[in-house]
Amino acid sequence: MSRLTGTVALLVLVSAALTCRESTGPVAGMLKVDLTTPNSGGDGAILLTVTGPAVLTSATPGTGLRLFAQPLGTTTRFALTGTLAQGTILTIGVPNLGQASQYVATVQSVAARSYDLRALAGYSLTVSQ
């Protein structure tokens, strides 16, 4: 009986070691913030907020855009200027890609290239890998 108990205990330990070896912690990565706009190419600035479960690790503007940001946090406001077109306008770094679906971007305001504020109807942001 004790030999069987020892063998079972050894199998449990080996199984636990293999399970721990296969599990990994959070994997950091990048998420895209994509803009949907009814005025592609006609907008010159956007103010947006990104909210998520953890502090952002980085922020990079889309091609041809200039980024202004407050210190990165779990809620961060960004201003992007330049010719805004449909598609990726911002790339954000996150500490855990497993929480990607918990990051949300919200349009606060949009200005035309002539600096006139736009109505927000038809504008939306999506966050994705």
Side-chain angles (χ1 to χ4, degrees):
M1 203 60 158
S2 69
R3 188 171 205 193
L4 178 61
T5 304
T7 303
V8 169
L10 180 62
L11 289 174
V12 168
L13 286 174
V14 169
S15 175
L18 289 174
T19 301
C20 288
R21 196 175 112 214
E22 291 174 7
S23 66
T24 60
V27 175
M30 306 303 276
L31 300 176
K32 300 181 304 180
V33 178
D34 291 326
L35 172 67
T36 299
T37 170
N39 300 301
S40 189
D43 298 319
I46 186 169
L47 178 64
L48 63 108
T49 302
V50 175
T51 305
V55 174
L56 300 178
T57 58
S58 65
T60 306
T63 304
L65 299 177
R66 187 166 178 199
L67 175 66
F68 301 89
Q70 62 184 170
L72 300 176
T74 55
T75 298
T76 307
R77 290 178 72 166
F78 297 98
L80 289 158
T81 61
T83 303
L84 295 171
Q86 200 92 339
T88 302
I89 59 169
L90 180 67
T91 302
I92 55 173
V94 297
N96 185 355
L97 285 174
Q99 297 176 321
S101 64
Q102 296 177 44
Y103 287 87
V104 176
T106 308
V107 177
Q108 301 299 313
S109 61
V110 177
R113 292 173 64 192
S114 64
Y115 307 109
D116 295 323
L117 288 178
R118 300 252 196 212
L120 296 182
Y123 289 91
S124 66
L125 296 168
T126 55
V127 179
S128 65
Q129 288 185 321

